[in-house]
Amino acid sequence: MAQQQAKTRQRRNVLSATDSEKLKVQLNTNYRDDILRIAQYFAKQPKAYDARVIDIDSNGVTIEWEWSDKGSEKRQIEDMQFALRDFSGTSSVLQEISDLASEASTALGEVQKPKLTRDKEALDAKNLVDFTFVSPGFLSIVGVTGGIALLTYMSFIADVHPALQFIRKIISQDACYYVFVAVVVIHFVEACVTYAACELIKTFQPRQMSTETQIKWTVGGLLFGLFCLHVFVSKLMRQFALAEAMPGPDSSRRSH
């Protein structure tokens, strides 16, 4: 039973011991003040000072701090473990600690965002594309809407308006209907692919894609097709390019 539990924990512990140690050093070197605020707020210990991360594993991050009563030379040492919802990598752990630091700073009345949060936002802005919905241009909306309306009319009305008789001479009602069906199918497939792509982004980078934005892109693809989705595709390709350009976990080792 104990061996089975150990194996289960090992599968969950995606972040290696080496990466955990590096992350601990990074937090204690660069973000000591943010760690202290977490201890002061969540542990309800405003007298805390000299806080540091002493352990990071699949159970959570453990923070240790020192405190003493005013006028007393007796030093007290306490620690607290904070559970992590996601232990899949350095970025996810940093994000959760950043969230804790932000909540603590706000509760403690700090005006400026924690340094960890500011650095994380700057890194995200550099490496993550903004997938905010961009509406097609006015001419595109009018053109696509008018074209679909005309195609629908020519597909289902046999005795068309005299002004449109020249179109009927060029293309029959049956041909219009087949084109109409093809357009509907293509737009539906585009909408499904867009929804799936947004769902993938939302799964791995939820801060990049909200449900509202996903619905907007999906509806935009359904109604306007590539006139709307070319912007989404260009954003997606840029994100892939940024991901390709990001250094791998072993790049720093290879550079030495």
Side-chain angles (χ1 to χ4, degrees):
M1 183 67 174
Q3 290 180 348
Q4 186 177 0
Q5 290 177 344
K7 289 180 180 178
T8 301
R9 178 172 174 176
Q10 188 176 13
R11 283 197 298 269
R12 289 172 52 209
N13 192 7
V14 180
L15 193 66
S16 68
T18 302
D19 289 337
S20 295
E21 187 62 30
K22 286 183 178 180
L23 182 57
K24 186 171 68 174
V25 172
Q26 179 185 358
L27 289 167
N28 289 334
T29 302
N30 301 323
Y31 306 109
R32 204 75 176 236
D33 291 341
D34 297 342
I35 301 302
L36 177 60
R37 291 187 185 96
I38 293 174
Q40 289 174 334
Y41 174 65
F42 289 102
K44 296 181 172 56
Q45 187 51 269
K47 300 175 184 177
Y49 63 91
D50 196 21
R52 56 201 165 271
V53 176
I54 60 173
D55 191 27
I56 302 175
D57 59 22
S58 57
N59 292 321
V61 55
T62 303
I63 295 176
E64 180 183 82
W65 63 90
E66 300 178 19
W67 68 276
S68 61
D69 290 321
K70 188 175 182 180
S72 173
E73 296 182 359
K74 187 177 180 181
R75 188 183 64 171
Q76 306 285 343
I77 298 179
E78 296 178 340
D79 63 68
M80 176 181 263
Q81 186 179 74
F82 298 85
L84 297 175
R85 294 164 303 203
D86 187 354
F87 192 65
S88 59
T90 299
S91 180
S92 62
V93 174
L94 279 175
Q95 185 61 63
E96 293 209 38
I97 297 175
S98 172
D99 292 341
L100 288 172
S102 294
E103 184 178 346
S105 295
T106 302
L108 293 172
E110 298 282 344
V111 177
Q112 191 177 40
K113 292 181 179 180
K115 185 175 185 296
L116 175 56
T117 302
R118 285 180 276 126
D119 288 354
K120 192 75 170 57
E121 288 177 348
L123 182 64
D124 288 348
K126 181 180 178 181
N127 294 325
L128 300 180
V129 173
D130 180 12
F131 279 95
T132 301
F133 176 75
V134 178
S135 175
F138 176 75
L139 292 179
S140 296
I141 293 176
V142 172
V144 173
T145 303
I148 292 177
L150 177 61
L151 181 59
T152 304
Y153 177 79
M154 298 298 294
S155 300
F156 293 96
I157 303 299
D159 188 15
V160 297
H161 191 277
L164 301 176
Q165 286 292 342
F166 73 96
I167 299 178
R168 180 64 81 221
K169 292 179 180 179
I170 299 173
I171 182 170
S172 66
Q173 183 179 2
D174 288 342
C176 286
Y177 177 77
Y178 293 135
V179 172
F180 171 80
V181 172
V183 168
V184 170
V185 170
I186 291 171
H187 278 228
F188 179 76
V189 171
E190 288 173 336
C192 290
V193 172
T194 303
Y195 180 87
C198 291
E199 189 67 27
L200 196 64
I201 296 169
K202 193 166 64 171
T203 299
F204 290 99
Q205 290 292 346
R207 293 174 182 272
Q208 281 183 280
M209 180 67 63
S210 65
T211 301
E212 180 183 353
T213 303
Q214 181 182 24
I215 292 173
K216 287 180 178 179
W217 281 118
T218 303
V219 173
L222 182 63
L223 296 179
F224 304 109
L226 289 178
F227 286 93
C228 175
L229 296 183
H230 76 279
V231 177
F232 177 77
V233 172
S234 66
K235 287 174 179 282
L236 198 59
M237 297 305 293
R238 182 165 171 258
Q239 182 62 77
F240 284 143
L242 288 173
E244 287 284 335
M246 289 178 67
D250 295 329
S251 59
S252 59
R253 299 175 195 168
R254 291 193 294 266
S255 62
H256 293 295

